[in-house]
């Protein structure tokens, strides 16, 4: 299961320095290999006046909100990595996790101070049991918002795990 950890390393008059860590945890009972992962980081700016919005899908779903709308969402960083168990991935490169184990992939970001109100982070992973020895097909798509998404071939025993989080930059 992937987890995203965002922390502020520091800031000055012109920069916000952040650490974004993609953490993989094997919550199962068998060893796994992370065949692929992707991470997208967006800078988000909100408006200054609340907007009332109602959504309805008949009697099955109704939602009302009065909040500040997102006025811009900009890709700050996007990357993916295909490893040995993904077709076309880096030969010999694995992230293998025993049951209960974790592995961290940290990265630091420097953003212009005040450019964004928050960052949103979306992460994807394709974990496989280590009994899978034949590489699986993992498609990489570019989403409408500019981020990457992983699309594994389910018939080959691969599935995609994803998670997202937000982190406020407002002091």
């Amino acid at each position: 299961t992937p987890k995203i950890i965002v922390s502020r390393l520091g800031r000055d008059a012109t920069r916000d320095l952040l650490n974004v860590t993609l953490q993989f945890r094997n919550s199962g009972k068998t060893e796994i290999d992370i065949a692929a992962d992707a991470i997208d980081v967006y800078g988000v700016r909100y408006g200054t006046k609340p907007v009332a919005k109602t959504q309805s899908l008949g009697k099955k779903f109704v939602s009302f909100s009065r909040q500040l709308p997102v006025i811009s969402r900009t890709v700050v960083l996007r990357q993916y990595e295909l490893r040995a168990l993904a077709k076309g991935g880096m030969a010999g490169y694995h992230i293998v996790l025993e049951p209960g184990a974790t592995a961290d992939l940290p990265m630091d970001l420097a953003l212009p101070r005040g450019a964004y109100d928050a960052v949103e982070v979306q992460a994807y992973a394709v974990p496989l049991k280590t009994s899978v020895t034949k590489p699986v097909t993992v498609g990489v798509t570019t989403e409408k918002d500019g981020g990457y998404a992983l699309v594994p071939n389910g018939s080959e025993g691969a599935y995609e795990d994803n998670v997202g989080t937000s982190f406020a930059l407002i002091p």
Side-chain angles (χ1 to χ4, degrees), residues 8-170:
R8 178 177 268 132
L9 298 174
R11 64 180 173 206
D12 63 16
T14 61
R15 299 168 295 200
D16 272 307
L17 303 177
L18 305 176
N19 176 271
V20 177
T21 299
L22 178 53
Q23 182 180 79
F24 302 108
R25 177 175 178 74
N26 183 351
S27 55
K29 295 182 179 179
T30 186
E31 187 177 69
I32 61 170
D33 192 343
I34 308 297
D37 70 78
I39 189 164
D40 303 320
V41 180
Y42 304 91
V44 180
R45 195 63 135 155
Y46 294 93
T48 57
K49 296 183 181 185
V51 173
K53 184 177 176 183
T54 301
Q55 279 185 295
S56 177
L57 297 174
K59 294 183 179 188
K60 297 180 182 192
F61 174 82
V62 177
S63 171
F64 174 80
S65 67
R66 185 182 312 274
Q67 55 187 329
L68 300 178
V70 171
I71 57 171
S72 70
R73 190 167 184 258
T74 306
V75 174
V76 173
L77 174 130
R78 68 182 188 153
Q79 69 181 44
Y80 69 88
E81 191 166 32
L82 302 178
R83 297 184 189 84
L85 283 182
K87 285 183 183 171
M90 293 183 282
Y93 187 52
H94 299 268
I95 295 179
V96 177
L97 298 172
E98 298 286 335
T102 61
D104 292 348
L105 295 178
M107 62 192 77
D108 294 337
L109 299 174
L111 303 175
R113 181 128 188 234
Y116 309 109
D117 298 326
V119 292
E120 290 180 358
V121 184
Q122 181 74 34
Y124 302 86
V126 179
L128 298 172
K129 293 181 179 180
T130 52
S131 59
V132 175
T133 57
K134 183 179 175 189
V136 300
T137 303
V138 179
V140 179
T141 63
T142 300
E143 301 292 287
K144 289 180 188 177
D145 62 11
Y148 289 126
L150 299 179
V151 185
N153 185 339
S155 66
E156 296 175 329
Y159 67 93
E160 168 247 326
D161 232 348
N162 70 70
V163 65
T165 193
S166 296
F167 183 83
L169 296 173
I170 300 171

